[in-house]
Amino acid sequence: MELAGLSVATAIAEVYKSSEYKRVLAICDPGNNGASLYWSCYSDEDLPVDLSNDFDILVDAMFHFSFHGTSRPPFDDLIQRLVRVQNHDQAHQKSPVIVSIDIPSGWHVKEGDISGEGIKPHMLVSLTAPKLCAKKFCGPHHFIGGRFVPPSIVDEYKLQLPPYPGTSMCVRIGKPPQIDISALRENYISPEFIEEQVEDDVFDQFQKWFDDAVAAGLREPNAMALSTAGKDGKPYTNYESRKAHEISENPHASLLFYWDGLNHQVRMEGFVQKVSDEESEQYFHSHPQGSQIGAIVSKSLIPKPKQWGGYRLKPELFEFWLGQQSHLHDRLQYSLVEIDAKRVWKIDRLAP
């Protein structure tokens, strides 16, 4: 039963990001599905009448394939609450997604939603094998969780189960729904980012955000994209062997740091210059031996007499971007200006 619950959780996690769908309610009966999904901590008396506001995912695990007849209290009322959630969704308001296990509650095990007024889940997770009513499922996501089925059962019932990739506990049935790329939108939620709260020195502000990325445990927070342009003015990014040639033609370049999870991005522009041989050699020997060998044989070497070297970008402009709701992002720009014969960093707010 625990493996069945794991396959359900894996299927849900594959489609719905935990960062966006944090509040999950599993509605279970005391039988098979209830044993598989023992996460619920509510009784039916504790549940709100309107389930559309308090949860992001509603897991329908009330009935399993052996159920027959008419739904009895309190399950008949719970089914109607899920139906009302769907009506709420049709009114173009944000509502939770519904995930049904094995058979959407209230459906006939063979004929499906006979009345046409039952639950219409967004996702169906069939355990072991799809039941006959799954043919009536019209939602975008159908998974099967059956890796845990013993070979003897597979042979006895002549089950034709799909192959499972890697160590996954579930596999998608059918093609994933087509995605409208133009409709993909991330609604960022971030604290305010205003001029009065940032550091006067741009390098102090960058260090602050970089330290936040390290503290958050993000992978390779020092990873960045280097953009250069040749003498024809066309930009290239990550073209490896072209970089050195482009820099020699046009030393102006930009760096981009993006820290997903923090909604932070920093872009800097400036001029590139070679570092000294001593600094290049010191950095080279700080790498593991395998990386040193890779640098020697790599075709993407930065061309230097000693086959390996580094560049330094001397920034003259920084842009700090913080993702906000409704695409009203915060963008603060630091640029070098001369005031009283001194070069200082001037802070300006840019349009979202």
Side-chain angles (χ1 to χ4, degrees):
M1 290 301 180
E2 292 183 12
L3 292 177
L6 177 60
S7 66
V8 172
T10 303
I12 292 174
E14 185 169 323
V15 175
Y16 302 109
K17 294 181 180 179
S18 60
S19 59
E20 299 177 16
Y21 297 84
K22 300 179 180 179
R23 304 168 300 171
V24 180
L25 173 68
I27 306 176
C28 311
D29 75 338
N32 289 350
N33 282 352
S36 301
L37 298 166
Y38 48 84
W39 316 325
S40 180
C41 59
Y42 291 88
S43 68
D44 59 289
E45 292 87 359
D46 297 327
L47 288 176
V49 175
D50 185 358
L51 300 176
S52 60
N53 297 319
D54 297 329
F55 306 102
D56 302 312
I57 297 178
L58 299 173
V59 181
D60 162 33
M62 286 181 277
F63 300 145
H64 45 86
F65 65 89
S66 62
F67 173 80
H68 296 280
T70 304
S71 303
R72 63 187 184 279
F75 301 109
D76 54 351
D77 176 64
L78 291 172
I79 291 174
Q80 289 307 309
R81 294 193 206 183
L82 293 178
V83 171
R84 286 196 292 271
V85 167
Q86 296 169 175
N87 295 334
H88 187 276
D89 186 26
Q90 292 173 358
H92 304 290
Q93 303 177 41
K94 179 176 173 56
S95 62
V97 297
I98 299 176
V99 178
S100 289
I101 311 304
D102 235 3
I103 295 176
S105 295
W107 281 30
H108 188 278
V109 67
K110 295 181 179 180
E111 303 299 329
D113 182 18
I114 298 176
S115 68
E117 299 178 355
I119 299 172
K120 296 177 177 58
H122 303 83
M123 174 186 284
L124 176 64
V125 182
S126 298
L127 299 179
T128 305
K131 311 310 180 284
L132 289 177
C133 66
K135 295 180 180 180
K136 307 293 185 179
F137 173 68
C138 298
H141 307 291
H142 188 188
F143 285 81
I144 180 172
R147 188 167 203 145
F148 49 84
V149 180
S152 58
I153 299 297
V154 174
D155 295 338
E156 180 179 353
Y157 292 96
K158 297 180 174 56
L159 299 177
Q160 296 181 353
L161 302 178
Y164 287 76
T167 59
S168 178
M169 293 300 300
C170 64
V171 62
R172 180 185 287 273
I173 298 177
K175 296 181 179 180
Q178 291 186 345
I179 298 176
D180 180 6
I181 298 178
S182 64
L184 292 178
R185 295 289 186 273
E186 183 76 25
N187 195 29
Y188 299 98
I189 300 177
S190 305
E192 62 180 0
F193 186 54
I194 57 178
E195 293 87 327
E196 290 77 14
Q197 296 178 345
V198 300
E199 302 292 337
D200 293 332
D201 187 282
V202 68
F203 295 102
D204 292 339
Q205 181 62 40
F206 179 84
Q207 187 68 54
K208 183 178 180 180
W209 274 24
F210 185 84
D211 291 344
D212 288 343
V214 173
L218 302 184
R219 293 188 62 185
E220 296 191 290
N222 58 334
M224 60 187 178
L226 169 64
S227 297
T228 58
K231 60 183 179 181
D232 58 1
K234 295 180 179 179
Y236 303 97
T237 302
N238 292 333
Y239 271 59
E240 299 181 347
S241 61
R242 289 189 178 185
K243 288 296 183 189
H245 180 65
E246 291 161 2
I247 290 174
S248 66
E249 292 182 337
N250 182 358
H252 192 273
S254 67
L255 295 177
L256 180 71
F257 291 82
Y258 177 66
W259 294 304
D260 188 24
L262 296 178
N263 305 336
H264 286 179
Q265 176 178 289
V266 179
R267 183 178 63 86
M268 57 187 75
E269 297 179 4
F271 289 89
V272 178
Q273 59 188 16
K274 290 182 179 180
V275 302
S276 66
D277 289 340
E278 292 77 14
E279 186 173 352
S280 292
E281 187 168 346
Q282 182 181 7
Y283 183 72
F284 179 79
H285 288 293
S286 71
H287 282 201
Q289 186 176 10
S291 298
Q292 297 178 29
I293 296 173
I296 294 174
V297 301
S298 174
K299 294 182 180 179
S300 61
L301 294 176
I302 298 175
K304 284 191 67 185
K306 293 184 179 180
Q307 293 187 311
W308 199 91
Y311 288 92
R312 177 178 289 108
L313 183 137
K314 187 175 181 180
E316 295 189 341
L317 182 145
F318 282 77
E319 180 190 320
F320 291 82
W321 177 94
L322 180 63
Q324 297 288 11
Q325 296 188 62
S326 303
H327 288 253
L328 297 176
H329 309 307
D330 285 317
R331 297 172 62 205
L332 295 184
Q333 176 180 281
Y334 287 72
S335 56
L336 276 175
V337 297
E338 190 168 313
I339 299 178
D340 297 331
K342 293 182 179 180
R343 302 193 77 190
V344 297
W345 291 102
K346 179 176 178 289
I347 303 175
D348 294 298
R349 176 169 291 275
L350 304 179

